[in-house]
Amino acid sequence: DAGVTQSPTHLIKTRGQQVTLRCSPKSGHDTVSWYQQALGQGPQFIFQYYEEEERQRGNFPDRFSGHQFPNYSSELNVNALLLGDSALYLCASSFPGPRETRDTGELFFGEGSRLTVL
Amino acid sequence: QKEVEQNSGPLSVPEGAIASLNCTYSDRGSQSFFWYRQYSGKSPELIMFIYSNGDKEDGRFTAQLNKASQYVSLLIRDSQPSDSATYLCAVNPPMNTGFQKLVFGTGTRLLVSP
């Protein structure tokens, strides 16, 4: 059973460029969340997708956008890249279930996409 | 005040000792609490979650929750060099009931020496 897969694993961009990161959730999972982890920091919540809609959003500018496809995979797009966008971008999926299990916080993380902005 | 605070460490313990990792949170209404382990260059993996005041044990790991003090801890017994990693405390604030929007601390780096 494949876990959460992300691509690309590493990429280098220059300021002002745009980037698209991709994520395939763990089999059976329907919810995808994206987190940004800067060096030496904990992951910060960007947004969450469920049923192809953005359900929750963290404190990130509109330059950060996303999409979820019918097969539950997801993309994270970042426009007008800044140096400060350099980070590890983590995708996390979670399983469906009753409301109680949605509160367990049992997120399954992919290995991440490390973005360097020069 | 940060929502979730952890000492960044490093916390150094000898092999076989008990490692004690601590975390405080600011939102008194928070209901669910999590410990993730992150090896260098890898993604976080869930070790334990706890909802109720008191202790929860799983193998060598014990999570402790004190909601009155807004304090969560993780004890690792018989620490092994393979436990050397960054331990992230995460909280699901009350407004996020039904959603998994975790707020993470900055993590505590644990070093277990042979």
Side-chain angles (χ1 to χ4, degrees):
Chain A
D1 177 25
V4 179
T5 58
Q6 292 187 243
S7 64
T9 55
H10 295 82
L11 68 167
I12 300 173
K13 294 285 187 179
T14 57
R15 284 178 294 176
Q17 285 189 312
Q18 178 265 345
V19 66
T20 296
L21 309 177
R22 296 176 176 82
C23 170
S24 292
K26 184 176 173 64
S27 178
H29 289 188
D30 63 354
T31 302
V32 173
S33 303
W34 287 92
Y35 287 78
Q36 179 196 65
Q37 187 174 23
L39 194 63
Q41 302 296 314
Q44 287 198 355
F45 177 80
I46 303 175
F47 41 52
Q48 183 180 89
Y49 278 85
Y50 172 68
E51 293 188 341
E52 301 180 50
E53 291 191 357
E54 183 181 293
R55 181 162 77 168
Q56 282 258 304
R57 189 177 183 92
N59 188 25
F60 279 81
D62 292 344
R63 298 187 298 108
F64 290 76
S65 63
H67 188 78
Q68 186 179 34
F69 300 94
N71 66 353
Y72 307 125
S73 67
S74 177
E75 287 182 350
L76 164 64
N77 300 292
V78 186
N79 295 322
L81 285 167
L82 304 174
L83 296 178
D85 295 331
S86 295
L88 179 67
Y89 288 85
L90 295 163
C91 171
S93 72
S94 48
F95 48 82
R99 183 184 176 112
E100 303 78 51
T101 60
R102 288 190 182 279
D103 287 342
T104 65
E106 192 160 2
L107 299 176
F108 292 80
F109 284 91
E111 289 302 317
S113 294
R114 185 165 297 281
L115 170 65
T116 301
V117 182
L118 301 177
Chain B
Q1 181 186 9
K2 291 183 179 179
E3 292 183 79
V4 180
E5 295 205 50
Q6 296 180 257
N7 187 316
S8 60
L11 172 65
S12 296
V13 300
E15 184 175 357
I18 296 176
S20 177
L21 305 161
N22 305 314
C23 169
T24 58
Y25 59 95
S26 61
D27 194 327
R28 182 170 291 277
S30 298
Q31 296 294 321
S32 47
F33 309 87
F34 312 89
W35 284 99
Y36 282 78
R37 177 176 63 197
Q38 186 173 28
Y39 291 110
S40 180
K42 299 295 185 181
S43 61
E45 56 179 327
L46 181 67
I47 298 176
M48 295 189 69
F49 61 85
I50 185 168
Y51 299 152
S52 304
N53 275 328
D55 296 358
K56 179 181 178 182
E57 186 174 320
D58 184 2
R60 295 187 296 113
F61 299 95
T62 299
Q64 299 176 318
L65 174 60
N66 184 326
K67 290 184 178 179
S69 300
Q70 296 175 237
Y71 179 91
V72 192
S73 65
L74 179 70
L75 300 178
I76 306 175
R77 290 181 299 280
D78 188 24
S79 295
Q80 300 297 309
S82 59
D83 294 326
S84 298
T86 296
Y87 289 80
L88 298 162
C89 174
V91 175
N92 200 17
M95 74 286 289
N96 296 319
T97 297
F99 303 93
Q100 293 132 323
K101 176 190 169 184
L102 296 186
V103 178
F104 285 84
T106 56
T108 298
R109 186 177 170 210
L110 173 66
L111 297 175
V112 181
S113 55

